[in-house]
Short mmCIF file of all heavy atoms in Angstrom, two decimals:
data_model
loop_
_atom_site.label_atom_id
_atom_site.label_comp_id
_atom_site.label_asym_id
_atom_site.label_seq_id
_atom_site.Cartn_x
_atom_site.Cartn_y
_atom_site.Cartn_z
N GLU A 15 -14.71 2.91 8.25
CA GLU A 15 -14.93 2.44 9.59
C GLU A 15 -13.62 1.97 10.21
O GLU A 15 -12.73 1.48 9.56
CB GLU A 15 -15.90 1.24 9.64
CG GLU A 15 -17.31 1.58 9.25
CD GLU A 15 -18.02 2.24 10.40
OE1 GLU A 15 -18.19 1.53 11.40
OE2 GLU A 15 -18.37 3.43 10.33
N LEU A 16 -13.55 2.09 11.55
CA LEU A 16 -12.44 1.43 12.25
C LEU A 16 -12.62 -0.05 12.12
O LEU A 16 -13.73 -0.53 11.78
CB LEU A 16 -12.46 1.83 13.70
CG LEU A 16 -12.23 3.27 14.04
CD1 LEU A 16 -12.31 3.46 15.52
CD2 LEU A 16 -10.91 3.80 13.52
N GLN A 26 -5.59 -10.66 15.47
CA GLN A 26 -4.68 -11.06 16.51
C GLN A 26 -4.49 -12.57 16.58
O GLN A 26 -3.42 -13.05 16.94
CB GLN A 26 -5.22 -10.61 17.93
CG GLN A 26 -5.25 -9.05 18.08
CD GLN A 26 -3.86 -8.44 18.12
OE1 GLN A 26 -2.88 -9.05 17.76
NE2 GLN A 26 -3.79 -7.18 18.47
N ILE A 29 -1.85 -13.31 14.01
CA ILE A 29 -0.53 -12.92 14.45
C ILE A 29 -0.06 -13.92 15.56
O ILE A 29 1.06 -14.40 15.55
CB ILE A 29 -0.55 -11.50 15.02
CG1 ILE A 29 -0.80 -10.49 13.86
CG2 ILE A 29 0.73 -11.15 15.71
CD1 ILE A 29 -1.09 -9.07 14.33
N ASN A 33 3.31 -16.28 15.22
CA ASN A 33 4.40 -16.23 16.17
C ASN A 33 4.50 -17.55 16.97
O ASN A 33 5.58 -18.02 17.21
CB ASN A 33 4.18 -15.08 17.17
CG ASN A 33 4.59 -13.75 16.59
OD1 ASN A 33 5.43 -13.68 15.73
ND2 ASN A 33 3.89 -12.71 17.03
N GLU A 149 28.68 -6.57 3.62
CA GLU A 149 27.73 -5.49 3.50
C GLU A 149 26.51 -5.75 4.40
O GLU A 149 26.05 -4.81 5.03
CB GLU A 149 27.30 -5.39 1.96
CG GLU A 149 26.32 -4.31 1.66
CD GLU A 149 26.78 -2.91 2.08
OE1 GLU A 149 28.01 -2.71 2.12
OE2 GLU A 149 25.89 -2.07 2.45
N ASN A 152 26.85 -4.49 7.89
CA ASN A 152 27.36 -3.14 7.94
C ASN A 152 28.88 -3.13 8.02
O ASN A 152 29.49 -2.41 8.78
CB ASN A 152 26.76 -2.46 9.16
CG ASN A 152 26.98 -0.94 9.16
OD1 ASN A 152 27.41 -0.38 8.17
ND2 ASN A 152 26.73 -0.31 10.27
N ALA A 159 24.66 -4.77 16.69
CA ALA A 159 23.43 -4.08 16.29
C ALA A 159 22.45 -5.05 15.70
O ALA A 159 22.87 -6.05 15.08
CB ALA A 159 23.72 -2.96 15.32
N PRO A 160 21.15 -4.83 15.81
CA PRO A 160 20.21 -5.60 15.03
C PRO A 160 20.49 -5.52 13.51
O PRO A 160 20.84 -4.45 13.07
CB PRO A 160 18.88 -4.97 15.33
CG PRO A 160 19.10 -4.16 16.59
CD PRO A 160 20.51 -3.74 16.59
N ASP A 162 19.34 -5.96 9.57
CA ASP A 162 18.22 -6.00 8.71
C ASP A 162 18.32 -7.26 7.83
O ASP A 162 19.26 -7.51 7.19
CB ASP A 162 18.17 -4.73 7.83
CG ASP A 162 16.99 -4.76 6.93
OD1 ASP A 162 15.88 -5.15 7.35
OD2 ASP A 162 17.13 -4.40 5.76
N ASP A 177 -8.77 -4.45 5.99
CA ASP A 177 -8.05 -3.98 7.14
C ASP A 177 -7.26 -5.11 7.80
O ASP A 177 -6.34 -4.89 8.56
CB ASP A 177 -9.00 -3.36 8.16
CG ASP A 177 -9.11 -1.87 7.95
OD1 ASP A 177 -8.13 -1.32 7.52
OD2 ASP A 177 -10.16 -1.29 8.25
N THR A 179 -4.67 -7.93 7.84
CA THR A 179 -3.42 -8.18 7.12
C THR A 179 -3.08 -9.59 7.17
O THR A 179 -3.01 -10.19 8.27
CB THR A 179 -2.31 -7.32 7.67
OG1 THR A 179 -2.77 -5.98 7.79
CG2 THR A 179 -1.12 -7.38 6.73
N TYR A 250 11.85 -17.50 11.00
CA TYR A 250 11.84 -16.31 11.91
C TYR A 250 12.40 -15.11 11.16
O TYR A 250 11.86 -14.03 11.17
CB TYR A 250 12.62 -16.62 13.14
CG TYR A 250 12.86 -15.51 14.09
CD1 TYR A 250 12.02 -15.38 15.24
CD2 TYR A 250 13.79 -14.52 13.89
CE1 TYR A 250 12.18 -14.34 16.11
CE2 TYR A 250 13.95 -13.42 14.76
CZ TYR A 250 13.17 -13.33 15.89
OH TYR A 250 13.31 -12.31 16.77
N TYR A 253 10.18 -13.79 8.52
CA TYR A 253 8.96 -13.21 9.01
C TYR A 253 9.22 -11.86 9.69
O TYR A 253 8.48 -10.92 9.52
CB TYR A 253 8.26 -14.19 9.98
CG TYR A 253 6.99 -13.71 10.56
CD1 TYR A 253 5.95 -13.23 9.72
CD2 TYR A 253 6.77 -13.69 11.92
CE1 TYR A 253 4.75 -12.83 10.23
CE2 TYR A 253 5.59 -13.24 12.48
CZ TYR A 253 4.61 -12.78 11.65
OH TYR A 253 3.40 -12.35 12.17
N ASN A 254 10.27 -11.81 10.53
CA ASN A 254 10.50 -10.62 11.32
C ASN A 254 11.48 -9.64 10.65
O ASN A 254 11.53 -8.49 11.04
CB ASN A 254 11.04 -10.98 12.69
CG ASN A 254 10.01 -11.75 13.53
OD1 ASN A 254 8.84 -11.24 13.60
ND2 ASN A 254 10.38 -12.81 14.05
N ASN A 255 12.27 -10.11 9.71
CA ASN A 255 13.21 -9.25 8.99
C ASN A 255 14.27 -8.54 9.84
O ASN A 255 14.91 -7.60 9.42
CB ASN A 255 12.46 -8.16 8.16
CG ASN A 255 11.52 -8.78 7.12
OD1 ASN A 255 10.33 -8.51 7.12
ND2 ASN A 255 12.05 -9.68 6.32
N THR A 256 14.41 -9.05 11.05
CA THR A 256 15.53 -8.47 11.88
C THR A 256 16.15 -9.68 12.59
O THR A 256 15.45 -10.50 13.13
CB THR A 256 15.02 -7.50 12.96
OG1 THR A 256 14.20 -6.54 12.30
CG2 THR A 256 16.21 -6.85 13.64
N PHE A 259 22.34 -10.87 17.65
CA PHE A 259 22.96 -12.03 18.31
C PHE A 259 22.34 -12.48 19.61
O PHE A 259 22.59 -13.57 20.06
CB PHE A 259 24.50 -11.70 18.52
CG PHE A 259 24.80 -10.83 19.70
CD1 PHE A 259 25.41 -11.40 20.82
CD2 PHE A 259 24.52 -9.51 19.68
CE1 PHE A 259 25.66 -10.59 21.94
CE2 PHE A 259 24.82 -8.68 20.74
CZ PHE A 259 25.37 -9.25 21.93
N GLN A 260 21.53 -11.67 20.19
CA GLN A 260 20.92 -12.06 21.46
C GLN A 260 19.55 -12.64 21.28
O GLN A 260 18.86 -12.99 22.25
CB GLN A 260 20.81 -10.87 22.42
CG GLN A 260 22.14 -10.47 22.97
CD GLN A 260 22.07 -9.11 23.70
OE1 GLN A 260 21.47 -8.21 23.17
NE2 GLN A 260 22.60 -9.06 24.91
N ARG A 264 15.86 -14.78 24.08
CA ARG A 264 14.47 -14.53 24.28
C ARG A 264 13.61 -15.59 23.59
O ARG A 264 12.68 -16.13 24.25
CB ARG A 264 14.15 -13.09 23.75
CG ARG A 264 12.68 -12.85 23.50
CD ARG A 264 11.76 -13.32 24.63
NE ARG A 264 11.97 -12.58 25.85
CZ ARG A 264 11.57 -11.33 26.11
NH1 ARG A 264 10.92 -10.74 25.15
NH2 ARG A 264 11.76 -10.76 27.22
N ALA A 296 -0.28 -12.22 21.87
CA ALA A 296 -1.06 -11.41 21.01
C ALA A 296 -2.26 -10.74 21.73
O ALA A 296 -2.56 -9.52 21.62
CB ALA A 296 -1.57 -12.15 19.76
N ASP A 299 -1.28 -8.14 24.35
CA ASP A 299 -0.96 -6.87 23.70
C ASP A 299 -2.19 -6.10 23.34
O ASP A 299 -2.26 -4.90 23.46
CB ASP A 299 -0.15 -7.16 22.41
CG ASP A 299 1.30 -7.36 22.65
OD1 ASP A 299 1.73 -7.15 23.82
OD2 ASP A 299 2.11 -7.72 21.73
N THR A 304 0.96 -3.96 26.60
CA THR A 304 2.23 -4.61 26.30
C THR A 304 3.05 -4.87 27.53
O THR A 304 3.76 -5.87 27.59
CB THR A 304 3.06 -3.75 25.39
OG1 THR A 304 2.25 -2.70 24.92
CG2 THR A 304 3.63 -4.52 24.24
N GLU A 305 2.94 -3.98 28.49
CA GLU A 305 3.75 -4.10 29.75
C GLU A 305 3.47 -5.46 30.42
O GLU A 305 4.29 -5.93 31.14
CB GLU A 305 3.46 -3.02 30.73
CG GLU A 305 4.11 -1.64 30.37
CD GLU A 305 3.15 -0.75 29.64
OE1 GLU A 305 2.18 -1.28 28.92
OE2 GLU A 305 3.38 0.47 29.53
N ASN A 308 4.73 -10.36 29.15
CA ASN A 308 5.54 -11.36 29.76
C ASN A 308 5.00 -11.92 31.01
O ASN A 308 5.10 -13.15 31.36
CB ASN A 308 6.98 -10.88 29.98
CG ASN A 308 7.73 -10.74 28.67
OD1 ASN A 308 7.53 -11.47 27.75
ND2 ASN A 308 8.67 -9.76 28.60
N GLY B 38 28.36 -3.13 21.28
CA GLY B 38 26.90 -2.95 21.07
C GLY B 38 26.66 -2.12 19.88
O GLY B 38 27.55 -1.66 19.19
N SER B 39 25.34 -1.93 19.58
CA SER B 39 25.02 -1.25 18.34
C SER B 39 25.35 0.22 18.40
O SER B 39 25.37 0.89 17.35
CB SER B 39 23.53 -1.47 18.04
OG SER B 39 22.77 -0.83 18.92
N ASN B 41 28.16 1.34 18.94
CA ASN B 41 29.59 1.47 18.70
C ASN B 41 29.98 2.47 17.60
O ASN B 41 30.87 3.25 17.74
CB ASN B 41 30.22 0.13 18.45
CG ASN B 41 31.69 0.18 18.32
OD1 ASN B 41 32.36 0.89 19.13
ND2 ASN B 41 32.29 -0.47 17.32
N PRO B 77 29.09 -7.85 26.44
CA PRO B 77 28.49 -8.63 25.39
C PRO B 77 27.14 -9.28 25.85
O PRO B 77 26.30 -9.51 25.05
CB PRO B 77 29.52 -9.71 25.04
CG PRO B 77 30.58 -9.58 26.04
CD PRO B 77 30.44 -8.32 26.82
N GLU B 78 27.00 -9.56 27.15
CA GLU B 78 25.76 -10.19 27.64
C GLU B 78 24.57 -9.30 27.38
O GLU B 78 23.52 -9.68 27.00
CB GLU B 78 25.82 -10.51 29.11
CG GLU B 78 26.77 -11.63 29.47
CD GLU B 78 28.16 -11.10 29.60
OE1 GLU B 78 28.41 -9.96 30.07
OE2 GLU B 78 29.09 -11.76 29.14
N ARG B 79 24.81 -7.99 27.59
CA ARG B 79 23.68 -7.03 27.46
C ARG B 79 23.66 -6.45 26.06
O ARG B 79 22.62 -5.95 25.67
CB ARG B 79 23.79 -5.96 28.53
CG ARG B 79 23.28 -6.44 29.87
CD ARG B 79 23.33 -5.38 30.95
NE ARG B 79 22.85 -4.10 30.56
CZ ARG B 79 21.63 -3.64 30.85
NH1 ARG B 79 20.82 -4.38 31.47
NH2 ARG B 79 21.33 -2.39 30.50
N GLU B 216 2.30 3.29 25.82
CA GLU B 216 2.63 1.95 26.30
C GLU B 216 4.13 1.69 26.23
O GLU B 216 4.82 2.13 25.38
CB GLU B 216 1.96 0.89 25.37
CG GLU B 216 0.44 0.86 25.60
CD GLU B 216 -0.14 -0.45 25.16
OE1 GLU B 216 0.52 -1.51 25.29
OE2 GLU B 216 -1.30 -0.44 24.70
N GLY B 217 4.61 0.90 27.23
CA GLY B 217 6.00 0.51 27.27
C GLY B 217 6.19 -0.84 26.60
O GLY B 217 5.57 -1.84 26.97
N ASP B 219 8.26 -4.22 25.04
CA ASP B 219 9.32 -5.16 25.44
C ASP B 219 10.43 -5.03 24.34
O ASP B 219 10.28 -5.47 23.30
CB ASP B 219 8.72 -6.56 25.45
CG ASP B 219 9.83 -7.60 25.68
OD1 ASP B 219 10.99 -7.27 25.85
OD2 ASP B 219 9.47 -8.81 25.76
N LYS B 221 12.92 -6.53 23.66
CA LYS B 221 13.55 -7.80 23.15
C LYS B 221 12.50 -8.67 22.42
O LYS B 221 12.84 -9.76 22.00
CB LYS B 221 14.18 -8.59 24.24
CG LYS B 221 15.36 -7.89 24.95
CD LYS B 221 16.68 -8.27 24.31
CE LYS B 221 17.84 -7.58 24.96
NZ LYS B 221 18.49 -6.65 24.08
N SER B 223 10.24 -10.33 19.53
CA SER B 223 10.64 -10.60 18.16
C SER B 223 9.88 -9.75 17.17
O SER B 223 10.40 -9.42 16.09
CB SER B 223 10.54 -12.06 17.82
OG SER B 223 9.35 -12.62 18.34
N ASN B 224 8.65 -9.38 17.47
CA ASN B 224 7.92 -8.40 16.62
C ASN B 224 6.83 -7.71 17.40
O ASN B 224 6.53 -8.10 18.55
CB ASN B 224 7.47 -9.03 15.32
CG ASN B 224 6.46 -10.13 15.63
OD1 ASN B 224 5.45 -9.90 16.27
ND2 ASN B 224 6.74 -11.31 15.09
N ARG B 226 3.67 -6.96 15.95
CA ARG B 226 2.53 -6.96 15.05
C ARG B 226 1.23 -6.81 15.79
O ARG B 226 0.31 -6.14 15.34
CB ARG B 226 2.45 -8.28 14.25
CG ARG B 226 3.71 -8.56 13.50
CD ARG B 226 3.61 -8.07 12.02
NE ARG B 226 4.90 -8.16 11.38
CZ ARG B 226 5.20 -9.05 10.46
NH1 ARG B 226 4.30 -9.92 10.02
NH2 ARG B 226 6.40 -9.13 9.91
N SER B 227 1.13 -7.42 16.96
CA SER B 227 -0.14 -7.34 17.76
C SER B 227 -0.33 -5.87 18.19
O SER B 227 -1.44 -5.38 18.14
CB SER B 227 -0.05 -8.18 19.04
OG SER B 227 0.34 -9.47 18.74
N THR B 230 -1.53 -3.81 15.41
CA THR B 230 -3.00 -4.01 15.14
C THR B 230 -3.79 -3.15 16.12
O THR B 230 -4.75 -2.53 15.78
CB THR B 230 -3.38 -5.49 15.35
OG1 THR B 230 -2.48 -6.26 14.46
CG2 THR B 230 -4.77 -5.75 15.04
N LYS B 231 -3.35 -3.16 17.38
CA LYS B 231 -4.07 -2.41 18.38
C LYS B 231 -4.04 -0.92 18.03
O LYS B 231 -5.10 -0.23 18.13
CB LYS B 231 -3.38 -2.63 19.71
CG LYS B 231 -4.09 -1.92 20.86
CD LYS B 231 -3.37 -2.23 22.15
CE LYS B 231 -4.01 -1.59 23.32
NZ LYS B 231 -3.38 -2.12 24.59
N LYS B 233 -3.64 0.34 15.06
CA LYS B 233 -4.27 0.53 13.78
C LYS B 233 -5.77 0.79 14.02
O LYS B 233 -6.36 1.60 13.33
CB LYS B 233 -4.10 -0.74 12.99
CG LYS B 233 -4.43 -0.67 11.49
CD LYS B 233 -3.95 -1.94 10.83
CE LYS B 233 -4.59 -2.13 9.49
NZ LYS B 233 -4.23 -3.45 8.96
N GLN B 234 -6.31 0.10 15.01
CA GLN B 234 -7.72 0.26 15.25
C GLN B 234 -8.05 1.68 15.71
O GLN B 234 -9.15 2.21 15.49
CB GLN B 234 -8.14 -0.73 16.35
CG GLN B 234 -9.62 -0.95 16.47
CD GLN B 234 -10.00 -1.70 17.68
OE1 GLN B 234 -9.21 -1.96 18.59
NE2 GLN B 234 -11.25 -2.17 17.79
N ARG B 236 -6.35 4.31 14.71
CA ARG B 236 -6.01 5.22 13.65
C ARG B 236 -5.27 6.49 14.04
O ARG B 236 -5.81 7.60 13.91
CB ARG B 236 -7.20 5.62 12.79
CG ARG B 236 -7.89 4.43 12.12
CD ARG B 236 -8.58 4.81 10.87
NE ARG B 236 -9.36 3.70 10.33
CZ ARG B 236 -8.87 2.88 9.41
NH1 ARG B 236 -7.69 3.04 8.91
NH2 ARG B 236 -9.62 1.88 9.02
N ASP B 238 -2.34 9.45 13.70
CA ASP B 238 -1.65 10.15 12.59
C ASP B 238 -0.16 9.89 12.69
O ASP B 238 0.55 10.01 11.74
CB ASP B 238 -1.91 11.62 12.57
CG ASP B 238 -3.39 11.97 12.48
OD1 ASP B 238 -4.07 11.26 11.67
OD2 ASP B 238 -3.88 12.82 13.19
N GLN B 252 12.70 -2.40 14.44
CA GLN B 252 11.68 -3.45 14.29
C GLN B 252 10.29 -2.82 14.34
O GLN B 252 9.43 -3.24 13.57
CB GLN B 252 11.81 -4.46 15.45
CG GLN B 252 10.88 -5.64 15.32
CD GLN B 252 11.25 -6.54 14.16
OE1 GLN B 252 12.38 -6.80 13.89
NE2 GLN B 252 10.22 -6.93 13.35
N LYS B 255 9.51 -1.54 10.91
CA LYS B 255 9.13 -2.68 10.03
C LYS B 255 7.73 -3.19 10.25
O LYS B 255 7.02 -3.40 9.33
CB LYS B 255 10.12 -3.83 10.29
CG LYS B 255 11.44 -3.65 9.65
CD LYS B 255 12.33 -4.79 9.99
CE LYS B 255 13.73 -4.44 9.45
NZ LYS B 255 14.72 -5.36 9.92
N GLY B 260 2.37 -4.38 9.09
CA GLY B 260 1.05 -4.46 9.60
C GLY B 260 0.08 -3.56 8.90
O GLY B 260 -1.10 -3.45 9.31
N ARG B 279 20.15 1.23 9.14
CA ARG B 279 20.56 -0.09 8.83
C ARG B 279 19.65 -1.21 9.37
O ARG B 279 19.33 -2.13 8.67
CB ARG B 279 21.96 -0.37 9.44
CG ARG B 279 23.08 0.31 8.66
CD ARG B 279 23.53 -0.66 7.62
NE ARG B 279 24.52 -0.01 6.75
CZ ARG B 279 25.06 -0.69 5.70
NH1 ARG B 279 24.70 -1.92 5.48
NH2 ARG B 279 25.94 -0.10 4.98
N SER B 280 19.26 -1.03 10.64
CA SER B 280 18.47 -2.09 11.23
C SER B 280 17.02 -2.03 10.81
O SER B 280 16.34 -3.08 10.73
CB SER B 280 18.57 -2.04 12.74
OG SER B 280 17.92 -0.91 13.25
#
Side-chain angles (χ1 to χ4, degrees):
Chain A
E15 290 283 295
L16 296 180
Q26 296 294 12
I29 293 168
N33 282 329
E149 181 56 30
N152 192 12
D162 180 42
D177 266 331
T179 311
Y250 176 99
Y253 180 54
N254 292 312
N255 301 124
T256 309
F259 79 106
Q260 288 170 311
R264 162 47 64 77
D299 276 354
T304 348
E305 283 93 339
N308 286 331
Chain B
S39 67
N41 185 43
E78 291 81 39
R79 281 180 46 99
E216 289 201 36
D219 172 0
K221 296 267 179 246
S223 42
N224 60 56
R226 304 268 170 107
S227 310
T230 302
K231 182 179 185 174
K233 194 171 163 187
Q234 195 189 13
R236 295 208 190 267
D238 300 320
Q252 187 66 44
K255 282 179 186 169
R279 283 270 174 182
S280 68

